[in-house]
Amino acid sequence: MTASRIQARKNKVLRSIFQTDISQPTPLLLPTVSGRPFGGPHAFPTSSTTHHASISSHQPASDQVLWDRAWHTVTSRIQLPASVTVEDSFGTLAAESQDEDELFYESLALVLDASTTLPRAAQTEDLLLWHTQQVRQHFVHHVLPLLAACAVQNDHAQVLLSSVQTLEAAHRQYLYGLTLVVRGIKDETARALAVDKFKRDLHAIIGNSLARGLVEALKGVLSRLLAVILGSNRGQLAASAANRDEGSVDAARYELLSLSESLNDVGLAGDKFQVLFAEIMDECMNDYIQRTYTGVWTALGVAGNANTSAPSGCIDHLCDWVENHYGRLAVEVLSRLGGQVAWTDVERWREIAIGRLASLRITELFDIVLHWPESKGGLEDLRAAVATPQRRLQLTDTFSAMLQKRLLHAGRSTLDILQTYISMIRTFHQLDSSKVLLDRVVHALQLYLCQRDDAIRIVVMGLLANPDSIVADDSKRRLVELAVLLNEASQQKRAQVDNEDLDWDDMTWVPDPVDAGPNYKRPKNEDVIGTLINALGSQEIFIKEFQMIIAERLLSSQAGFQQEIKVLSLLKRRFGENALQNCDVMVKDVYDSKRVDALLCKSLHTARALQAYQPINYHSKILSRLFWPSLPKDAFAVPPPVAEIQSQYEAGFEQLKTSRKLTWLDHIGTAIVQLELEDRIVEQECKTYEAAVIYAFQDESGDAAESPRQQTFNMLWEKLMIDEDLLESSLRFWISKRVLREVGNQTYVVLEKLDQDQLAKAGDDVGSADEAAETSQLSPRKPKMDPQEQERRTVYWQFIVGMLTNSSPAMPLGQIAMMMKMLIADGCSWSSEELQEFLGDKIAEGELELSGGKYRLVKK
């Protein structure tokens, strides 16, 4: 549809509502033919025409001529200029001396009261209606083009100023004619009604004729002023918090109120302006809440309220802002526009603001959980605002989506997930003690935790941590807050759920939430440990893992087990004595074995002193096979002195404990070896199989060797009958301690002097590619790396740690290489040999261990 057709349809609609074909002022010489109209379509016969139908024909013609001459005199005086120029704007107003024109006022009296003064006039018009119609026509043809020209300016303030000045000039013309007309109306009430009707019609047509540029300018100026007054962040010229002083606020308030008065005077403050003002005020409320309260969870001070340390969040501050700033501004502006604000409106605005603050806190709930308890104020805002089932559903849906996005993925470690879960339990208990909200959001987290193999181990290690000696570094590696919670009195009580519904003395009883499930039972306390254990599976799974870790701790070389015994006693209160009976037997075995070991060592002291071997301090822990977890059995040939002592130890035990027999688990123990080399003495604590490997390099004949003793990998394997992975791990261990050195072809030699290692490094060549790939894993010599390669190694190592932590605790070389090539953004530039060399370096550094052809992180 073309623009001309659209304009034609608009004009047709306008003519159907407003009469645009108005009559013109009559000429001075009038025809005397009876019944000839001199007005337009609004001319109508007076009521007196029918009443005096029998009067002679010359009398109506005389009244009609008098009315027509009076109409011409009046309309000629108040007629608007036919054209508009820049110089005269809307024309020049008549001289004040004309106000005393007796002919005009005599004619005005005839026109306004024609039914009384000229009863025989057949055709008359309504002067006020005629003036209103010519104003409408003049506005459409002359004022609107000027307003459109004003709206194309770039400066919003200048657009408003020029538009207001244009409309003020038009008002002067329009109201000048109206003022002359209403002077002839004697009744004050009728005069006021006529003026009000004219202004209402004029403001209606002005208010519905706003150009797009004028609307944009009005929106820009209002946004700027409201941003300064209300402290929001709208508009490009919005002042910052530092620059927003009282002077700028007062100046902006004065400018806004003056602008409102000017717009109201010229008719631009109609419904469209009020709707625009309401929309900007609504956006300012949103911006103020986002700017002021995002990430701010502590209670903000309220003017006149000295209790700023109250635990409530920011709701009081927001309500004060709505009543004393937002509502006040709305009252001041609407009062300039002739409207008013009721107290119910302010209450509704306050409810809307609280709802938007609640929506903000709902989106921040995940951060509130992460920063608990520093974020307690934000949680108080939520607890006060989220009181309906709809809001509670919005909270759980939003938090569940955020949980999937920010936590439940392979990039987050199990420790991070468990720490967040603990914070969720404590936070949601403060938010909703009924635990209904937590039950809604925790299912996906519990399912994801069940897929993490190390989740239960991390929980148990956290429970076994010592809360009195917690340091910052330890808290990053362990779930140490569980140890603190376990020692709290509120957490030590075993939940008694059988008779909790029959607690008639509970004065804090409240009904169940309306959105609670059918099998809902209200918890008595937050019970972080119980909730966490239940999320990891059944109680039996947790107890089985606890037994495994307790066994590892009891078999370690630490002096005492007070912390383990304390945790065991606390867990027995929670799970009962029978559930942890095996753990009691394990602890008893450790302490009983100390007594038995002391007796056996005393009886064997003399026999050991007579042996040809150097005396060995040998101690053992005797375990009850049926009560301990299944322990791996990786047998190997122990050194002859150790085998002799074991034989004597076993014989003494059989005498002490009849009908019982010992089965040795040699690979579980530890040993302290002292190595006497040519230029140094090395004393090192190591695994028993590592001690057996280095003992195999000793000269059994006792003679001084002309060259350092050397062994090949196959020779050691045949001699010790040890697992290949254990043998390889042991050799790497002693190479890292600079006791052994590989000379090629899986041949290892004792490093008697450290300078031999330096000479060997200086004489090493690059060799063949296969030999380099094979030996670089064990050689302590490392060429200098460029920064780019060092950065690449750091990135790759972090990726490998993430895989072995989150995906699988153990992986073979091929799987690690495949995942690195698939998941690293730029791909892995290393070959399998280079990756194997890198992993070998990490084994030598004690970061990785190789078992069964799979790499795993060393447990620390």
Side-chain angles (χ1 to χ4, degrees), residues 477-523:
R477 300 191 303 267
R478 297 185 181 183
L479 213 59
V480 292
E481 50 262 46
L482 287 182
V484 179
L485 288 173
L486 189 62
N487 287 271
E488 293 180 358
S490 60
Q491 296 290 333
Q492 294 179 13
K493 297 179 181 179
R494 185 180 178 185
Q496 300 293 334
V497 298
D498 296 335
N499 297 323
E500 65 177 3
D501 293 333
L502 303 178
D503 190 0
W504 308 107
D505 297 328
D506 186 6
M507 303 305 295
T508 62
W509 179 89
V510 292
D512 293 342
V514 295
D515 49 355
N519 298 324
Y520 168 74
K521 286 188 177 182
R522 183 182 300 275

Side-chain angles (χ1 to χ4, degrees), residues 831-843:
S831 63
S832 298
E833 291 77 10
E834 290 173 328
L835 178 59
Q836 185 178 14
E837 177 184 354
F838 176 73
L839 297 178
D841 293 341
K842 292 300 179 180
I843 292 176

Side-chain angles (χ1 to χ4, degrees), residues 105 108-109 112-113 179-187 191:
Y105 286 108
L108 181 62
L112 291 177
D113 195 12
T179 303
L180 294 179
V181 172
V182 298
R183 287 180 181 178
I185 301 176
K186 304 301 182 182
D187 190 356
R191 181 187 302 175

Side-chain angles (χ1 to χ4, degrees), residues 699-706:
D699 186 6
E700 299 178 0
S701 62
D703 298 332
E706 296 181 355

Side-chain angles (χ1 to χ4, degrees), residues 46-101:
T46 61
S47 59
S48 61
T49 303
T50 305
H51 181 69
H52 298 281
S54 60
I55 300 179
S56 59
S57 61
H58 71 277
Q59 184 64 34
S62 299
D63 285 354
Q64 185 66 52
V65 169
L66 292 175
W67 187 90
D68 288 341
R69 289 177 177 176
W71 176 263
H72 175 80
T73 302
V74 174
T75 54
S76 298
R77 177 72 178 275
I78 66 175
Q79 185 180 16
L80 296 173
S83 63
V84 178
T85 61
V86 178
E87 290 78 10
D88 62 1
S89 181
F90 297 101
T92 304
L93 297 178
E96 296 181 0
S97 59
Q98 295 184 9
D99 292 345
E100 301 177 359
D101 188 353

